Amino acid sequence: MVNCEDVIRFLDTYLNVARIADASRNGLQVSGTPRVGKIVFGVSASLELFRRAKVAGADLIVVHHGLLWGQEQPLTGMFRERIAFLLKNDLNLAGYHLPLDMHPVVGHNACLMRALHAERTKPFGQYHDETIGFCGYIQPAPLPDIAAALETVCGAKAQVLAYGPARVETVGVVSGGAYSMLPQAIAQKLDLYVTGVLDEPAQEWCREGKINCIALGHYNSEKPGVLALMHLVAKQFDVQTEFIDVPNPI
């Protein structure tokens, strides 16, 4: 068992929470039991995740998409039910949004770049006032091979827009709902842009920009960082850890 506040202090510091502007309220969002023996990790806060975490014996739940997004919200409906479940069961909830997107070691985007054995990586992808992704070089490879490698890492079927070079050497990655950053990849003349989800303009942006794009799903593209964070915490603290997957194809 460890103190919950020690785990939160470590995560806040390691992920540079205080330095990153974000709509999400990063860090501890709901306070529960002060002592923690098991930490469950998941991508998104939901009643289903909370219920499974309770069954698994969790004292603390750590997610990428939390419950608090920078504005007051009435404690009604689904939001009330989620908060009520956490409080009734004395569960702590912590969320880390942009800090987990952009971290150079355990961030989703860093993990995806490592999965492609990228080199000469540098920050890429402006989101408001933050740069949250990475770009770099990989050993030239056919687009289907790259898609297959990313599918294995994310456990998801990739959506592929093949309008760029048949063999890919330069890649930019911004996980989640970052299809709108595709023009930034085009401006940098990258061979491939990797993200979570696409919307209607993406196909013609790719065709006209002569770039490939791979989308792995918002949820699935953001599992890698959560898993990396879990492994880090397991090494740092004498606690049990478990990743609970609540499958989501979107």
Side-chain angles (χ1 to χ4, degrees):
M1 298 283 284
V2 298
N3 291 327
C4 183
E5 64 180 16
D6 291 339
V7 179
I8 299 300
R9 186 182 303 112
F10 169 77
L11 291 172
D12 287 355
T13 302
Y14 185 81
L15 296 172
N16 296 316
V17 165
R19 301 180 183 179
I20 299 170
D22 194 354
S24 173
R25 197 293 180 195
N26 294 301
L28 187 66
Q29 297 190 348
V30 178
S31 178
T33 178
R35 296 284 285 170
V36 171
K38 182 169 184 178
I39 305 174
V40 156
F41 291 77
V43 176
S44 298
S46 68
L47 195 55
E48 180 66 19
L49 175 64
F50 301 164
R51 287 171 172 159
R52 294 191 191 187
K54 174 61 179 177
V55 171
D59 303 300
L60 167 62
I61 304 169
V62 177
V63 296
H64 176 51
H65 302 126
L67 292 179
L68 304 179
W69 294 92
Q71 57 186 0
E72 294 181 359
Q73 184 171 340
L75 290 171
T76 58
M78 290 185 293
F79 186 61
R80 178 191 180 280
E81 293 302 312
R82 291 173 173 181
I83 296 293
F85 186 90
L86 293 170
L87 294 177
K88 179 181 177 181
N89 292 285
D90 216 11
L91 288 168
N92 296 281
L93 175 70
Y96 296 95
H97 184 231
L98 292 187
L100 191 54
D101 284 316
M102 62 195 292
H103 197 274
V105 179
V106 298
H108 313 299
N109 301 312
C111 290
L112 292 173
M113 291 293 278
R114 278 200 304 276
L116 297 177
H117 305 289
E119 300 177 343
R120 290 181 280 166
T121 61
K122 62 181 182 180
F124 161 80
Q126 284 293 121
Y127 177 76
H128 296 173
D129 295 324
E130 302 289 350
T131 304
I132 63 173
F134 295 94
C135 64
Y137 293 81
I138 63 172
Q139 282 294 112
L143 184 62
D145 291 357
I146 297 171
L150 292 171
E151 286 177 340
T152 298
V153 172
C154 296
K157 180 65 177 175
Q159 183 177 5
V160 180
L161 297 176
Y163 291 101
R167 291 182 67 81
V168 172
E169 184 176 5
T170 56
V171 181
V173 177
V174 184
S175 64
Y179 93 94
S180 62
M181 295 186 193
L182 181 53
Q184 296 182 43
I186 294 170
Q188 293 204 23
K189 301 187 184 303
L190 298 177
D191 298 333
L192 170 64
Y193 179 60
V194 178
T195 190
V197 294
L198 299 176
D199 208 337
E200 194 275 341
Q203 174 178 281
E204 298 312 311
W205 284 347
C206 287
R207 191 197 310 270
E208 295 167 24
K210 298 178 175 57
I211 190 172
N212 300 299
C213 186
I214 293 176
L216 297 151
H218 193 142
Y219 175 91
N220 289 302
S221 71
E222 296 189 324
K223 287 194 290 188
V226 175
L227 288 165
L229 192 64
M230 180 183 73
H231 295 316
L232 175 69
V233 169
K235 292 179 181 178
Q236 188 74 21
F237 294 96
D238 183 21
V239 293
Q240 297 180 54
T241 59
E242 181 181 349
F243 175 75
I244 292 183
D245 189 13
V246 182
N248 186 341
I250 300 172

